[in-house]
Amino acid sequence: MQNKRITVIIRATEDCNLACKYCYTKTYTRHEVLSLDIFKKMLKELLFFFDEITLIRQGGEPLLAGKEYFKEVVKIENTLIENASKQIKIINKLQTNGTLIDQEWAELFKKFGFGVGVSLDGYKEINDSNRIFKGGRGSFESAMNGINILKQNNVNFGILSVMTRGILNSVEKYYQFVKEHNFRFRINPCLINKREHPELQILPDEWGEAMISLFDLWYQDNNPPMCMNFVEIIKSFFTGYNTTCVFNTSCFSDFLSVIPSGDMFPCARLIGEDEKFYLGNIKKDALRSILSKKKTLVRNYDRLGCEDCKWKRICYGGCTAHAYWAYGDVNTRDYLCEGLKMLFSHMYQTVKNDLKVNRR
């Protein structure tokens, strides 16, 4: 069997201790935790088809599943690896709001080799305007406490920020914050699909302009923090291919998502959006049938209207979920299309001009 890889987004629980204004997670399973039995069955079947599996836990807040739960999860993984008839690799990652991290969690992440992403929208005022506890209190101080514990224990982590209007209006302040703390960071657009607080959603040109401003600050910095958005895009200028899921044709083929009930979907952002995205339930269905149904989900890249776009090879119409959220059709371009074109053009010209200067 040829080496095959897959990434599985695991919604470990749908419960959460925060009530973020822009949250797109729908509740389907009454906050239950993905059982160890379901996880074991899923992973065992995955290992039959794939040689490298990346497991990304998110939620809800995955740490609410508990430390003992994660210890058992790793035991299951190790046992299956030891008993496998072929060489396999399991990569563990986790996305958390950071507020529950303590010394024991940090030690577990370090021991088990978990890559950790902490959701943080930047400095206190902007973070606490959206990322709040259910009682209304801001989460910044608690999240930063968790981050400091990760740093003290040398845990590999980065932050994920959501660009809302607050960041749009304070790009430089946001950048100075991530630079001050030397955060490896990624920033995603705030897009609300049929949810409350539509005023938080940003427009394509606003996204493009804000990201250009952020890029200029980053690119002109002699010692910038690692920004995954910009690093991946610059690499794609030279390779002709972007490894990010939203910018290539592997969206439906290389990813799966599972929720606590065992229901599976092709993408975490498409959970519950339409019956056609429901692939089956791993608790009762064989993974073979789930993967077979997944193959029927196809985004027709020839219908996106990208034929004459110079960025087609590094974008391929952008995020499938963004397209579906905005237009109800996966065979359309990312809602942010025009903003992405602005960003790609500016970044390419900047890098190109810099290379010309350095060659003189």
Side-chain angles (χ1 to χ4, degrees), residues 141-153:
E141 298 295 344
S142 296
M144 286 298 293
N145 180 65
I147 285 172
N148 289 332
I149 294 173
L150 295 178
K151 285 183 175 181
Q152 292 164 10
N153 288 271

Side-chain angles (χ1 to χ4, degrees), residues 118-157:
V118 180
S119 298
L120 186 77
D121 286 352
Y123 56 93
K124 179 177 173 59
E125 291 81 5
I126 192 63
N127 183 84
D128 287 355
S129 65
N130 295 304
R131 302 191 59 79
I132 56 176
F133 287 99
K134 291 179 178 178
R137 177 171 59 90
S139 63
F140 179 82
E141 298 295 344
S142 296
M144 286 298 293
N145 180 65
I147 285 172
N148 289 332
I149 294 173
L150 295 178
K151 285 183 175 181
Q152 292 164 10
N153 288 271
N154 296 314
V155 175
N156 178 32
F157 81 96

Side-chain angles (χ1 to χ4, degrees), residues 54 59 129 177 250 259 289 312 334:
T54 298
S129 65
F177 172 80
S250 68
I259 63 175
S289 67
K312 178 180 178 180
D334 192 319

Side-chain angles (χ1 to χ4, degrees), residues 43-319:
L43 185 58
K44 187 175 182 179
E45 294 189 41
L46 283 167
L47 291 174
F48 179 81
F49 292 96
F50 303 97
D51 300 331
E52 182 176 308
I53 302 170
T54 298
L55 303 173
I56 304 177
R57 275 92 179 179
Q58 57 177 36
E61 171 48 52
L63 299 194
L64 288 173
K67 294 163 185 170
E68 294 304 315
Y69 176 86
F70 277 89
K71 291 177 184 178
E72 291 301 315
V73 159
V74 173
K75 283 183 183 179
I76 291 171
E77 294 176 3
N78 290 338
T79 298
L80 291 176
I81 289 174
E82 291 170 3
N83 296 331
S85 59
K86 61 179 180 178
Q87 186 173 1
I88 57 177
K89 182 178 182 181
I90 296 176
I91 301 169
N92 285 299
K93 298 182 180 181
L94 181 143
Q95 187 68 34
T96 172
N97 60 44
T99 63
L100 300 175
I101 295 173
D102 57 17
Q103 180 63 28
E104 188 178 355
W105 272 120
E107 291 174 357
L108 288 177
F109 297 149
K110 187 70 175 178
K111 178 181 179 180
F112 297 144
F114 272 64
V116 179
V118 180
S119 298
L120 186 77
D121 286 352
Y123 56 93
K124 179 177 173 59
E125 291 81 5
I126 192 63
N127 183 84
D128 287 355
S129 65
N130 295 304
R131 302 191 59 79
I132 56 176
F133 287 99
K134 291 179 178 178
R137 177 171 59 90
S139 63
F140 179 82
E141 298 295 344
S142 296
M144 286 298 293
N145 180 65
I147 285 172
N148 289 332
I149 294 173
L150 295 178
K151 285 183 175 181
Q152 292 164 10
N153 288 271
N154 296 314
V155 175
N156 178 32
F157 81 96
I159 70 166
L160 174 64
S161 301
V162 175
M163 182 180 284
T164 56
R165 296 203 163 275
I167 296 181
L168 281 177
N169 298 324
S170 56
V171 170
E172 185 170 355
K173 189 173 181 179
Y174 170 82
Y175 181 74
Q176 291 305 318
F177 172 80
V178 295
K179 178 177 172 59
E180 175 187 351
H181 294 278
N182 194 30
F183 285 145
R184 175 168 57 88
F185 72 103
R186 181 185 297 277
I187 187 163
N188 287 343
C190 180
L191 298 180
I192 309 297
N193 176 40
K194 303 172 186 175
R195 307 293 187 270
E196 296 180 354
H197 303 288
E199 73 278 4
L200 296 173
Q201 182 161 311
I202 61 175
L203 301 176
D205 60 333
E206 293 175 325
W207 165 255
E209 291 170 0
M211 288 298 286
I212 286 171
S213 297
L214 186 62
F215 170 75
D216 286 344
L217 290 167
W218 178 82
Y219 194 77
Q220 295 164 13
D221 192 339
N222 291 326
N223 186 29
M226 174 67 76
C227 178
M228 300 310 297
N229 304 70
F230 301 143
V231 169
E232 289 158 355
I233 292 171
I234 290 174
K235 282 183 179 179
S236 71
F237 291 154
F238 297 94
T239 64
Y241 177 78
N242 195 315
T243 57
T244 310
C245 68
V246 299
F247 292 138
N248 61 59
T249 59
S250 68
C251 174
F252 282 143
S253 61
D254 292 353
F255 294 84
L256 276 172
S257 187
V258 62
I259 63 175
S261 64
D263 288 346
M264 302 197 78
F265 303 84
C267 168
R269 294 177 176 178
L270 294 176
I271 291 173
E273 290 292 340
D274 191 291
E275 289 184 2
K276 64 186 174 186
F277 298 128
Y278 173 72
L279 302 177
N281 186 294
I282 191 60
K283 185 177 181 179
K284 58 185 179 181
D285 299 325
L287 183 65
R288 184 183 299 276
S289 67
I290 290 172
L291 294 176
S292 294
K293 185 170 183 181
K294 188 160 75 82
K295 289 181 180 179
T296 67
L297 293 175
V298 179
R299 190 183 191 192
N300 189 336
Y301 290 91
D302 293 331
R303 285 180 52 191
L304 304 186
C306 303
E307 293 79 7
D308 298 325
C309 179
K310 65 183 297 184
W311 310 116
K312 178 180 178 180
R313 288 196 309 157
I314 66 168
C315 177
Y316 286 101
C319 178

